[in-house]
Amino acid sequence: MNESLKILYLAAEAAPYVKVGGLGDVSSSLPRALIELNDTNHNEFKIDIRLVIPFHGGIKQRGYPLEEYFQFSMDVEKQDIPITVYKTVLGKLPVFLISAPMIDVDGPVYTSEPEGDGYKFTLFSLAALEFVRQIEWKPDILHVNDWHTSPAAYAVYINKYKDLFFENIAIVLGVHNLPFLGVGAGTVLKKFDLIPAYNTDLPRWAQDAPLALGLLSADKIVTVSPSYAQEILTPEYSSGLYYFLLSRADDILGILNGLDIDCWNPETDQNLYKNYNLMKLSNREENKADLQRELNLPINADIPILAVVSRMDQQKGIDLVFPALNQLSQSSSERYQTWQMVILGTGNPSLEVMARQLEAKYPEKIRALIRFDTELSHRIYAGADMLLIPSRYEPCGLTQMIAMHYGCIPIARATGGLRDTIVDYDQSRERGNGFLFEKALAKDFSDTLQRAFNNYSSKNDWRTLQINGMKADFSWQQSARQYLHLYQSLINKNSRLIK
Ligand code: ADP
């Protein structure tokens, strides 16, 4: 294996350094899974993938061991911007962190200020390209993700015939959340000599939106689930880019995200009260009791615990949880009124207020924890019985996979990756691992909760659901292979020898 396939993987966040949502999970798991394919020795070449992320202020504070690796400067509007690149490794994966004024500032990874974020991520994207040029490491594949790193794709796209370094670099764009196009960030692109894309099928308003430019530039567009790849080609889900996306339909595909099994493994998870697996599922009950204790709820194995672990956002359909629970509570059947619930999430202030109000209305059974708490999230997956995911749209979703892997049953809307990973138990007893509803309506959600409660009352059915979920293979290996085939097809298309 002397030849190598060089992949430059850019993302705004990567766990464990910085994680806001699923993108942070994927951008650390997928590159590592690709590198691990080298060990299987079935490839005719060595995968040389390098992850580059911004050195956000929060990373600095956490004090990871980092080596100062390289320095250079960039000219932006006739000003020299000093760039420092730090290096570390995540398993076998080389990770580079790009530091510059405006990047390593304290504060959140994403703000609601498009120009500030636009500047930060465009500077990062172009600095990452300049970095690999300076160290003379020319990638075969540039893999960018979402709007934040799309400026790198666009820079390669518009300069590939002028700049030898960019020639023959194939571009892959990962779409984790289409509606976040980066609109408003476009005004700063000009500062970096990235002019709007006139004369294209893009609607006028999108001609300087970073993600739209990424979609224009990419050789292949990969959504994080097959269903989402189909959905973004419909008027409802195409975020105003319907005709443009249709024109790119042949280059759009979906590859389901995997789960980082090292991080999410009930057998070894250090955050749990008691570890368990399929063979020792009874140990799970101790985690349930522990969770009830931690949340100061009545300790009772027979009361189902419902959970929400989510960003508080319209996308996630959190607003449907409240009327659905009210409907459930108004039911005449005792069965539908006997439950406990924990909500763990932050985000939209009005949804946070609704969660607190719900807790105030049902203080004996609901806990609303308005914060980001990774450790507690592990204990919730291990102790709760049902995870509620009523998303309006869900590009892939990791929480349902984590939940199933931990024996917690997802109750979800049939959209995107939720549709691809969850099989409704009432449709198939052999394969069913959760419950799905079609329309984003509180009534449908509450009816589906009732179906779940009916099955919860049968220990055998519930055990079957748990076993079906825990047996599923959500590991990254399979998805990593699909990405590898995709990279190979692009290289072959460019008919280049890999050096
Ligand atoms: P998205 O990326 O759209 O936010 P995903 O389901 O793909 O949704 O990934 C969400 C990830 O963030 C999961 O790992 C979930 O456990 C985690 N998460 C979400 N909210 C919280 C929270 N409040 N505290 C801890 N972890 C959270």
Side-chain angles (χ1 to χ4, degrees):
M1 281 208 304
N2 295 328
E3 293 174 327
S4 65
L5 171 62
K6 300 198 197 80
I7 307 150
L8 176 61
Y9 192 95
L10 306 186
E13 49 175 294
Y17 310 105
V18 56
K19 171 177 146 176
V20 180
L23 172 63
D25 289 303
V26 174
S27 51
S28 88
S29 304
L30 171 60
R32 274 187 293 159
L34 279 159
I35 282 227
E36 274 163 26
L37 293 183
N38 284 334
D39 298 339
T40 61
N41 262 333
H42 294 138
N43 317 316
E44 47 240 66
F45 46 75
K46 182 169 168 280
I47 298 164
D48 178 3
I49 184 164
R50 302 184 185 192
L51 169 66
V52 186
I53 58 170
F55 192 6
H56 296 288
I59 302 179
K60 199 187 258 176
Q61 286 151 20
R62 261 172 253 136
Y64 289 101
L66 301 171
E67 168 200 345
E68 196 173 311
Y69 185 75
F70 199 75
Q71 283 191 326
F72 60 98
S73 64
M74 283 185 52
D75 177 11
V76 182
E77 292 190 301
K78 304 207 163 35
Q79 272 196 347
D80 260 359
I81 312 272
I83 310 282
T84 305
V85 183
Y86 294 88
K87 185 180 177 197
T88 184
V89 285
L90 194 54
K92 293 176 189 159
L93 174 72
V95 183
F96 298 92
L97 299 99
I98 299 227
S99 170
M102 294 290 289
I103 292 180
D104 60 9
V105 284
D106 292 337
V109 173
Y110 312 110
T111 69
S112 51
E113 210 266 288
E115 291 203 2
D117 281 7
Y119 189 93
K120 173 165 82 173
F121 289 117
T122 306
L123 176 63
F124 163 71
S125 300
L126 299 190
L129 287 181
E130 187 53 30
F131 163 55
V132 292
R133 182 206 297 274
Q134 298 252 350
I135 61 166
E136 296 179 9
W137 188 81
K138 177 174 164 140
D140 299 295
I141 305 283
L142 169 66
H143 189 144
V144 298
N145 292 283
D146 283 350
W147 77 262
H148 328 100
T149 46
S150 283
Y154 190 52
V156 170
Y157 177 74
I158 58 176
N159 291 307
K160 63 184 170 189
Y161 299 116
K162 298 185 235 163
D163 184 333
L164 266 182
F165 187 74
F166 292 150
E167 196 185 14
N168 280 335
I169 295 180
I171 300 168
V172 174
L173 166 65
V175 177
H176 303 253
N177 206 331
L178 183 68
F180 291 85
L181 290 160
V183 173
T187 50
V188 296
L189 294 184
K190 287 192 199 119
K191 296 184 183 177
F192 294 89
D193 297 328
L194 298 175
I195 48 160
Y198 302 118
N199 304 324
T200 68
D201 294 336
L202 277 175
R204 214 185 158 80
W205 60 266
Q207 288 176 349
D208 68 350
L211 182 56
L213 298 174
L215 293 165
L216 175 73
S217 310
D219 294 288
K220 287 286 174 190
I221 296 160
V222 187
T223 66
V224 285
S225 70
S227 283
Y228 194 56
Q230 287 171 8
E231 286 172 357
I232 66 168
L233 292 170
T234 61
E236 190 188 347
Y237 290 98
S238 54
S239 300
L241 298 178
Y242 178 57
Y243 292 106
F244 172 73
L245 287 170
L246 277 189
S247 75
R248 299 244 43 203
D250 287 349
D251 294 314
I252 299 177
L253 70 153
I255 300 179
L256 196 68
N257 283 338
L259 198 61
D260 182 346
I261 305 292
D262 295 335
C263 166
W264 295 108
N265 184 352
E267 237 178 316
T268 52
D269 193 328
Q270 298 286 311
N271 300 295
L272 308 192
Y273 184 69
K274 189 101 188 186
N275 290 113
Y276 61 97
N277 59 24
L278 250 181
M279 299 302 150
K280 285 187 248 153
L281 204 45
S282 54
N283 281 358
R284 195 178 187 279
E285 281 161 27
E286 297 189 38
N287 290 296
K288 177 166 176 174
D290 180 54
L291 184 65
Q292 287 170 321
R293 199 175 304 119
E294 182 172 350
L295 298 174
N296 200 15
L297 289 167
I299 299 171
N300 184 334
D302 294 330
I303 302 179
I305 306 181
L306 319 183
V308 168
V309 179
S310 177
R311 282 188 291 120
M312 293 275 187
D313 193 284
Q314 279 290 106
Q315 173 202 337
K316 300 288 182 183
I318 302 298
D319 52 307
L320 299 176
V321 172
F322 314 115
L325 286 184
N326 283 332
Q327 286 187 20
L328 214 58
S329 296
Q330 278 154 21
S331 138
S332 53
S333 162
E334 170 100 26
R335 177 183 286 171
Y336 304 140
Q337 294 178 19
T338 313
W339 43 266
Q340 298 172 340
M341 175 163 201
V342 52
I343 303 171
L344 176 65
T346 56
N348 182 323
S350 60
L351 293 171
E352 292 180 354
V353 168
M354 279 170 87
R356 287 206 170 97
Q357 284 171 346
L358 203 68
E359 180 185 56
K361 189 167 172 190
Y362 302 102
E364 74 295 350
K365 54 183 179 186
I366 294 189
R367 296 291 173 268
L369 305 166
I370 309 302
R371 59 176 195 259
F372 196 94
D373 186 336
T374 301
E375 291 177 10
L376 175 59
S377 75
H378 284 244
R379 289 195 289 279
I380 291 177
Y381 294 119
D385 298 289
M386 306 176 198
L387 189 76
L388 313 190
I389 323 171
S391 301
R392 293 209 156 69
Y393 70 95
E394 193 60 76
C396 177
L398 289 174
T399 57
Q400 80 279 17
M401 292 194 256
I402 303 171
M404 287 188 261
H405 201 55
Y406 277 63
C408 176
I409 305 306
I411 321 280
R413 185 159 168 256
T415 180
L418 297 170
R419 191 193 281 284
D420 290 339
T421 48
I422 300 171
V423 178
D424 191 287
Y425 188 62
D426 286 334
Q427 300 297 321
S428 163
R429 301 267 141 173
E430 290 79 45
R431 296 190 306 120
N433 52 18
F435 296 91
L436 289 170
F437 59 101
E438 287 291 328
K439 293 200 182 118
L441 299 173
K443 166 89 174 67
D444 293 19
F445 187 15
S446 135
D447 288 350
T448 307
L449 280 167
Q450 292 191 7
R451 287 200 289 123
F453 280 38
N454 296 343
N455 282 290
Y456 181 81
S457 61
S458 150
K459 286 231 177 321
N460 275 346
D461 281 317
W462 206 254
R463 185 55 56 103
T464 309
L465 271 157
Q466 288 181 309
I467 290 171
N468 288 350
M470 290 178 82
K471 271 198 326 211
D473 177 10
F474 294 124
S475 70
W476 265 105
Q477 208 185 34
Q478 213 185 330
S479 312
R481 288 220 163 272
Q482 292 181 53
Y483 277 99
L484 181 57
H485 288 144
L486 173 71
Y487 296 150
Q488 276 177 283
S489 70
L490 289 169
I491 299 287
N492 293 343
K493 203 164 133 198
N494 276 351
S495 17
R496 280 179 300 118
L497 283 175
I498 304 156
K499 299 211 186 66

